[in-house]
Amino acid sequence: MAIDLAPPPPLGEEVVVATVEGKKEEAEAEAEEGGACGGDAVVVAAADAEVEGHPYDFHVSGPRNLPPPNWREIIRSSWKDPNYKRMVMACFIQAVYLLELDRQDQKGEDDGLAPKWWKPFKYKVTQTLVDERDGSIYGAVLEWDRSSALSDLILIRPSGAPRAVLALRGTLLQKPTIKRDLQDDLRFLVWESLKGSVRFIGASEALKTAVERFGSANVSVAGHSLGAGFALQVCKELAKQGVFVECHLFNPPSVSLAMGVRSMSEKASYLWKKVKASLPLTEEALPDNTKEEGNAKKKLRADKKWVPHLYVNNSDYICCHYNAPSCSTTATEGVPDEQLQQRKASEIAGDVVAKLFVTSKGPQKFLEAHGLQQWWSDGMELQLAVYDSKLIHRQLKSLYTATAPSTPAKS
């Protein structure tokens, strides 16, 4: 269930990171009491004593070592660096969190905190996604700002930079939005689906409009926590139609009651297959459904094109199940390391449908492990674990099973 447990302090109450020791301690205590948006998405940089400003200011809690865009981007684009792209996508999601907080404090582009999180990258917000039930902002479409880029002598959009980005926030435990956020959290917890939500419809329409305007290759989607759940399911629906967009999912929810029931069923099925495997059966005697599974697996290898990027911290129990191995790992006992590596390489080449990045030196406490800030922090080290993921494999199967039927002939 994608619940971000640490709501932000009211933005109307200015929290200043002061150089005086007494004021600094007071600011830290107030920030700790109120929490931060995006599941501890922003943390006061206490070590940066000389930096003054609101703790959610980009220059206070934002990334430190991102190179500012300039004319050199035309020759050597920073967007080709996966780490740079990951950090910028996380910043865009943070901007959506702050758009809602700015709305609650009746702040606009001139005095709000949110614009500081997209302007440094030469983007602008062209559409905000508003939940009609409570008026809260849960997403935004950001587009490349050509006029702002020209002011820094960036004549063309850098290679790899998307024309448009759909960014979706997670849960905010604030009175104006908590009710609707938790409704969608519970929806996912019970059914593992968000299709019935107003926000799913709004995000789908915004994504389809962006794809129609700029083409799927020029559009990206990014989401955190509950927003990552929406992003994954919206992109999957589009992928079923043969339209593939780049998707970045930070701390995507992986826990649900439906998943638990399905897991028990899969374990029973796995044990039954082990029993059947011990019986002498020829290929002709195999059940038809077993042959169909083999054919479906071959089709997955041939058809897979959409590869979302998932960013997971194993200390975050909301998303850590994405890194859980499938039952097949039990069959690796006693297998030589060299042979095991070859098997993993084969799986990577054949069945992978997502790039799963796991933090190797990430935060250990839950609130920080589920937070957004870690994904733009300096020193982030990620390991690519794309093989043998039980949850990803199941989601891949559900995606391409829907596209398995052949296209009907034109009348």
Side-chain angles (χ1 to χ4, degrees):
M1 176 169 58
I3 299 179
D4 302 331
L5 299 176
L11 292 179
E13 302 176 7
E14 287 295 319
V15 182
V16 180
V17 181
T19 56
V20 182
E21 183 176 355
K23 291 185 178 180
K24 183 175 70 176
E25 292 177 355
E26 180 181 350
E28 291 175 354
E30 184 172 353
E32 183 177 355
E33 180 180 356
C37 68
D40 197 27
V42 180
V43 178
V44 179
D48 232 345
E50 296 182 358
V51 179
E52 295 186 2
H54 193 282
Y56 293 176
D57 270 331
F58 182 81
H59 74 278
V60 175
S61 58
R64 290 287 182 266
N65 297 321
L66 283 184
N70 53 49
W71 63 270
R72 294 184 179 86
E73 291 290 312
I74 303 174
I75 303 172
R76 187 174 182 178
S77 173
S78 298
W79 282 91
K80 291 184 177 180
D81 181 359
N83 290 322
Y84 179 88
K85 181 176 291 187
R86 164 179 52 81
M87 296 170 78
V88 176
M89 291 296 172
C91 289
F92 286 168
I93 300 171
Q94 176 67 4
V96 178
Y97 277 108
L98 294 176
L99 275 172
E100 169 55 20
L101 298 180
D102 286 343
R103 181 195 71 85
Q104 294 177 15
D105 280 350
Q106 298 181 347
K107 293 183 178 181
E109 187 168 351
D110 295 334
D111 58 348
L113 293 168
K116 301 174 184 178
W117 288 81
W118 66 69
K119 286 185 176 180
F121 308 108
K122 308 306 177 185
Y123 278 79
K124 60 182 178 180
V125 169
T126 58
Q127 179 186 357
T128 54
L129 306 186
V130 179
D131 190 324
E132 60 188 26
R133 300 169 297 181
D134 59 3
S136 64
I137 297 173
Y138 64 91
V141 176
L142 301 98
E143 297 181 11
W144 175 255
D145 190 349
R146 187 170 181 271
S147 60
S148 177
L150 288 175
S151 65
D152 283 336
L153 302 179
I154 306 176
L155 305 180
I156 60 175
R157 180 169 49 92
S159 176
R163 288 283 300 274
V165 178
L166 170 62
L168 302 168
R169 68 166 175 84
T171 306
L172 273 175
L173 298 187
Q174 294 275 87
K175 287 185 178 180
T177 185
I178 183 175
K179 180 179 179 180
R180 301 305 181 186
D181 284 0
L182 290 181
Q183 280 184 351
D184 286 328
D185 284 321
L186 292 174
R187 186 190 303 273
F188 184 88
L189 174 64
V190 177
W191 292 294
E192 200 181 355
S193 175
L194 297 165
K195 291 184 180 180
S197 172
V198 171
R199 298 181 182 184
F200 179 89
I201 299 173
S204 296
E205 292 176 351
L207 179 57
K208 289 178 181 177
T209 300
V211 169
E212 290 174 358
R213 288 184 58 195
F214 305 116
S216 59
N218 296 313
V219 177
S220 297
V221 180
H224 173 247
S225 191
L226 176 63
F230 277 110
L232 177 61
Q233 296 193 10
V234 166
C235 289
K236 280 175 62 177
E237 286 301 303
L238 206 60
K240 290 178 182 178
Q241 304 172 25
V243 181
F244 307 98
V245 297
E246 187 175 291
C247 187
H248 297 266
L249 310 171
F250 300 90
N251 301 93
S254 64
V255 181
S256 72
L257 298 177
M259 184 188 305
V261 173
R262 189 181 296 110
S263 178
M264 288 188 292
S265 176
E266 289 175 352
K267 288 180 179 178
S269 176
Y270 173 72
L271 292 175
W272 173 239
K273 288 180 180 179
K274 291 278 288 184
V275 173
K276 288 198 301 181
S278 64
L279 301 176
L281 288 177
T282 61
E283 184 176 354
E284 291 76 8
L286 289 175
D288 291 338
N289 60 347
T290 304
K291 296 180 181 179
E292 290 176 359
E293 287 180 3
N295 293 333
K297 193 170 184 180
K298 291 180 181 179
K299 181 173 180 58
L300 293 180
R301 293 178 177 177
D303 291 352
K304 64 174 176 34
K305 294 180 181 179
W306 182 60
V307 182
H309 299 69
L310 284 73
Y311 304 92
V312 170
N313 187 319
N314 280 335
S315 298
D316 173 18
Y317 60 78
I318 288 179
C319 70
C320 65
H321 293 280
Y322 274 102
N323 199 30
S326 67
C327 294
S328 62
T329 53
T330 58
T332 62
E333 296 180 2
V335 179
D337 291 341
E338 184 177 351
Q339 185 177 347
L340 186 59
Q341 292 298 327
Q342 292 177 353
R343 182 184 301 181
K344 290 178 178 179
S346 176
E347 291 172 354
I348 291 173
D351 298 331
V352 168
V353 293
K355 290 185 178 180
L356 176 64
F357 297 95
V358 182
T359 58
S360 57
K361 293 184 178 180
Q364 302 299 313
K365 295 182 179 179
F366 167 69
L367 289 181
E368 295 179 354
H370 189 65
L372 185 59
Q373 184 186 13
Q374 61 182 312
W375 303 113
W376 71 66
S377 299
D378 296 333
M380 170 63 68
E381 294 184 13
L382 299 177
Q383 295 176 345
L384 186 60
V386 292
Y387 55 86
D388 209 17
S389 172
K390 178 180 179 181
L391 186 54
I392 291 178
H393 182 270
R394 188 175 77 234
Q395 291 182 343
L396 166 73
K397 186 177 180 180
S398 66
L399 171 63
Y400 285 98
T401 315
T403 60
S406 58
T407 306
K410 296 182 180 179
S411 57

